[in-house]
Structure formats: structure tokens, C-alpha cells
């Protein structure tokens, strides 16, 4: 096994800059998830680590070796693709053994590795089947088994669960966690699914337009987003972002003309500044109108069982900020004003121009 170092990496396709100066160190045995919207460059970055794309500038090292000029086969990595990439005419056994045969491994060594991987992935009874005879989850396990038998220094996963249904994705996430705990191989995993990122990652790299927005442990990224992009991307529904200006004394934030939102704690250093106030939907509580920090008009409600998502807006003419609150179904009103409050520790302030977090 080995760590991975990404040092000021850029990638351009002609005049189009796809990756713009990303740097990150992945420690030996770490599970790092690269997450972001479609087109942000995360798969391109993974493919550069694999050697399937050239690097415009910068440096990538696996262990102590800089691999910029090495062929994929010489990087000691194994990659699982979104579409499985199995040979349809071969059995499960032969799909898993093929790479080892190309390497010139002995028959005994190949059989030992394939049988071990099949046992880990519960594929032992399926070794003589063809890919067309397998379910989507079984095919994905075969693709992972093909990587495991090679015993690489680094696993690379490119949205491996995106073709599976919701129930199977949950099952495969738990299998991936168990697999990493058992093998301990350094893993880089690409997804646009924030649930996968939150549940699988030791650390997350949140990307946007080829740049790093934030690197950190999943809970750190969720509870202290560094930018409005992270606040809006991580979380479902995303964090509420309410525009306004901190008033004299730092105790009130005027928003949307006639709406005045009192901050639960003063921020005197920010007096007079335009800000975006962020609150997660689950951090709202209902309250008496006289104690409310804001009272949006209810637009519609999504009933989720014990919880409900209530969507509303600030401002009499619906031109104000949109609000989403996750509340217990028993306290949800069907229409009218929804008086809400939140604790000071759940308040986030951002600069509306740069989008960066304000710590003052």
C-alpha cells in the first residue's frame, strides 16, 4: 500500500481549463472521496492519477514515486469503472484472473488470489457464470474482485454505484466499507452522490469547476462549510442562505425589505456588512410568533413519515429568500406563517461576494 500526493495539478483541453491547481495528500490506507456536481473535474482528476489522462502541469506521486510519465500498468493501481467493464464472453473466474495471466502469474497463484477475492466478496458460487447471468450488484462485485486479486497499492473508484437502484446502492456502500476495513488499501473514490461521500469517506475533497472548495472529514464539512457552494451542495435539502445586512449592535439582520431577522447572538465586528446567513433545515424549531427569528409563508409540504419538509418564502410578494425546514410532522401547519427559531451554534455567516465563511 502507499499514499498519494497531488501537487498543484492543472489539466486543460485546449483553451478549456478542467482542473485548476488541485493539491492534496492522501495517507496510506485512507479512504478519500472526491465529490462535486457533474462536470466539476473529479473523474478527470481520478483518470490522471490512473494514467488514463495526461497532466498539463503539476505532479502526482504514488508512494515515493512520481508517476507523471508512467504507463497505467506500471503505477500499481487498480480501477473500478462506472460501467463495470467486464468481458461478456468470459466467466466470473476468468474475468478476475485475466489481468494476472497477462502479468505471467502461475496457475496456482492465480487460483489462490481469485478464490480469496471470491470469498471476500461472496462470489464463490458464481465463478462459472457469465456477466449476463449476474445482477448489477454481483457484476460490481466482480469488477471489485478483479481489482482485489492484483493486490495494488491504490484502489480507484469512478462512480461505481451510479448504475444501481437505491436499495442496492445502500447495500453496496456497506460492502465497500467492510471491504476497506478488511483490506486497508488506500482508496480514492469519485461520486456526485453526497450520501456516498458522507458515509464512505475518511476525508472528502469537495470540488467545483475544477477547484478545491473544501477538504475535511465528512462531519466537519457538513457542520462548518467553508463556502456557500459547500453549504448548498452538501445536505439535502441544502443549507438555507438568507441575504441581509447586520444592523447596529450586531443583533439584527435586515432582509428582504420589511422582514427583519434577529440574530441569536450579536456579531458587532460585522455591523453594516452585507452577509448571507446559513441555517440547516433540521436546525429550525417551531415557536410562538413573538419569539420567532423568522416567519416564512408556507408554500408546500413534503410528508416523509415522522418528519416533514416544509418549504416557504420570506417577503410578502414571494421575492424573498426561500426557506426549507425539516420538522416533526405533528407540529407542521398546513398553511399561513411558520414561526421559526434556531440556536446560535447552528448559525453560519458567509460573505455574499466571495462566498467564503465569515468567522468574526
Amino acid at each position: 500500500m502507499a499514499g498519494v500526493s497531488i501537487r498543484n495539478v492543472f489539466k486543460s483541453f485546449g483553451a478549456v481549463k478542467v482542473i485548476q491547481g488541485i493539491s492534496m495528500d492522501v495517507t496510506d490506507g485512507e479512504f478519500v472521496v472526491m465529490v462535486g456536481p457533474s462536470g466539476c473535474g473529479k473523474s478527470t482528476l481520478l483518470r490522471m492519477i490512473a494514467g488514463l489522462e495526461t497532466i498539463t502541469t503539476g505532479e502526482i506521486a504514488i508512494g515515493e514515486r512520481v508517476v507523471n510519465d508512467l504507463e497505467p500498468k506500471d503505477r500499481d493501481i487498480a480501477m473500478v469503472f462506472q460501467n463495470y467493464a467486464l468481458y461478456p464472453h468470459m466467466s466470473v473466474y476468468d474475468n478476475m484472473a485475466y489481468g494476472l495471466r497477462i502479468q505471467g502469474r502461475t496457475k496456482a497463484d492465480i487460483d489462490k488470489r481469485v478464490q480469496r477475492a471470491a470469498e471476500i466478496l461472496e462470489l464463490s458460487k458464481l465463478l462459472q457464470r457469465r456477466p449476463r447471468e449476474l445482477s448489477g450488484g454481483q457484476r460490481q462485485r466482480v469488477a471489485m474482485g478483479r481489482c482485489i486479486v492484483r493486490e495494488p497499492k491504490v484502489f480507484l473508484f469512478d462512480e461505481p454505484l451510479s448504475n444501481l437502484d437505491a436499495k442496492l446502492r445502500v447495500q453496496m456502500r456497506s460492502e465497500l466499507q467492510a471491504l476497506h476495513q478488511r483490506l486497508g488499501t488506500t482508496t480514492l473514490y469519485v461520486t456526485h452522490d453526497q450520501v456516498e461521500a458522507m458515509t464512505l469517506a475518511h476525508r472528502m475533497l469537495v470540488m467545483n469547476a475544477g477547484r478545491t472548495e473544501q477538504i475535511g472529514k465528512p462531519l466537519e464539512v457538513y457542520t462548518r462549510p467553508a463556502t456557500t457552494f459547500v453549504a448548498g451542495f452538501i445536505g439535502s435539502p441544502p443549507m438555507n442562505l438568507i441575504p441581509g445586512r447586520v444592523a447596529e449592535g450586531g443583533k439584527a439582520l435586515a432582509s428582504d425589505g420589511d422582514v427583519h431577522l434577529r440574530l441569536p447572538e450579536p456579531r458587532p465586528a460585522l455591523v453594516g456588512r452585507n452577509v448571507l446567513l446559513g441555517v440547516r433545515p433540521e436546525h429550525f424549531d417551531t415557536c410562538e410568533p413573538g419569539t420567532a427569528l423568522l416567519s416564512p409563508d408556507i408554500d408546500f409540504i413534503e410528508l416523509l413519515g415522522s418528519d416533514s419538509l416544509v418549504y416557504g418564502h420570506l417577503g410578502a410578494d414571494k421575492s424573498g429568500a426561500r426557506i426549507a425546514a425539516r420538522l416533526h410532522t405533528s407540529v407542521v401547519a398546513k398553511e399561513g406563517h411558520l414561526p421559526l427559531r434556531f440556536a446560535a451554534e447552528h448559525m453560519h455567516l458567509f460573505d455574499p461576494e466571495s462566498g467564503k465563511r465569515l468567522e468574526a
Side-chain angles (χ1 to χ4, degrees):
M1 295 186 291
V4 177
S5 293
I6 305 167
R7 300 163 187 156
N8 202 30
V9 168
F10 286 78
K11 174 64 179 179
S12 298
F13 293 103
V16 180
K17 295 180 179 179
V18 180
I19 301 293
Q20 304 188 55
I22 288 182
S23 296
M24 184 180 189
D25 287 321
V26 181
T27 59
D28 188 2
E30 193 174 20
F31 196 123
V32 170
V33 176
M34 296 182 280
V35 64
S38 297
C40 72
K42 55 190 183 296
S43 289
T44 300
L45 181 59
L46 194 77
R47 289 173 64 85
M48 287 194 290
I49 297 169
L52 302 176
E53 292 283 357
T54 58
I55 301 168
T56 302
T57 60
E59 189 175 88
I60 293 176
I62 298 175
E64 300 298 321
R65 245 186 350 169
V66 176
V67 298
N68 288 35
D69 300 321
L70 291 182
E71 293 294 321
K73 64 182 179 63
D74 299 322
R75 298 193 180 200
D76 205 0
I77 55 94
M79 189 165 181
V80 177
F81 296 91
Q82 180 178 349
N83 61 357
Y84 317 135
L86 301 177
Y87 296 109
H89 61 288
M90 291 184 181
S91 66
V92 169
Y93 185 100
D94 289 336
N95 264 283
M96 294 170 64
Y98 182 75
L100 299 176
R101 288 174 180 150
I102 295 298
Q103 292 177 353
R105 302 279 181 177
T106 65
K107 185 176 180 180
D109 185 32
I110 291 172
D111 188 66
K112 179 181 177 181
R113 293 189 185 208
V114 171
Q115 294 294 346
R116 174 175 175 268
E119 181 182 352
I120 291 172
L121 296 167
E122 299 181 3
L123 293 171
S124 298
K125 297 180 180 180
L126 306 176
L127 289 176
Q128 299 310 313
R129 292 192 186 181
R130 301 284 175 87
R132 65 175 179 272
E133 301 172 305
L134 305 176
S135 68
Q138 289 168 338
R139 291 178 194 177
Q140 194 56 275
R141 289 207 300 270
V142 175
M144 288 190 285
R146 188 172 52 189
C147 293
I148 291 171
V149 297
R150 294 179 57 191
E151 299 178 0
K153 291 181 179 177
V154 180
F155 283 140
L156 305 177
F157 290 90
D158 190 6
E159 303 201 41
L161 309 185
S162 60
N163 289 334
L164 306 179
D165 62 49
K167 183 177 180 180
L168 197 50
R169 282 202 300 271
V170 174
Q171 178 185 335
M172 289 301 298
R173 284 202 304 267
S174 63
E175 291 185 11
L176 279 167
Q177 286 177 318
L179 179 63
H180 185 264
Q181 290 172 359
R182 184 165 182 173
L183 299 179
T185 306
T186 306
T187 301
L188 285 93
Y189 186 105
V190 160
T191 183
H192 64 271
D193 186 327
Q194 57 177 288
V195 176
E196 286 181 29
M198 292 292 294
T199 54
L200 289 173
H202 294 162
R203 283 192 301 152
M204 296 165 55
L205 167 63
V206 184
M207 294 178 61
N208 179 33
R211 300 179 187 274
T212 299
E213 288 281 339
Q214 189 170 357
I215 300 173
K217 296 179 180 179
L219 195 57
E220 291 174 356
V221 173
Y222 185 82
T223 56
R224 291 186 62 82
T227 65
T228 53
F229 174 84
V230 178
F233 185 78
I234 302 296
S236 180
M239 181 180 287
N240 296 282
L241 295 171
I242 306 167
R245 176 185 292 267
V246 180
E248 190 64 35
K251 295 181 180 179
L253 181 134
S255 175
D256 300 316
D258 61 338
V259 177
H260 293 270
L261 169 61
R262 293 181 293 107
L263 298 183
E265 67 177 16
R267 295 291 183 97
L270 300 177
V271 170
R273 286 193 61 169
N274 290 327
V275 297
L276 288 172
L277 183 140
V279 186
R280 293 281 182 198
E282 65 270 22
H283 291 151
F284 283 124
D285 292 314
T286 55
C287 60
E288 295 299 321
T291 63
L293 293 173
L294 70 164
S295 297
D297 291 324
I298 297 174
D299 292 327
F300 64 97
I301 299 170
E302 292 181 349
L303 298 176
L304 305 177
S306 61
D307 291 339
S308 292
L309 293 176
V310 184
Y311 297 90
H313 66 274
L314 298 176
D317 58 355
K318 294 192 176 183
S319 62
R322 298 292 169 179
I323 302 296
R326 184 183 293 272
L327 303 169
H328 197 280
T329 299
S330 62
V331 303
V332 172
K334 293 184 179 179
E335 57 184 19
H337 294 293
L338 180 65
L340 297 172
R341 64 184 177 188
F342 54 90
E345 62 265 25
H346 297 314
M347 177 179 66
H348 309 262
L349 293 179
F350 301 92
D351 185 299
E353 294 184 4
S354 68
K356 292 182 179 179
R357 184 182 189 88
L358 296 172
E359 300 291 353

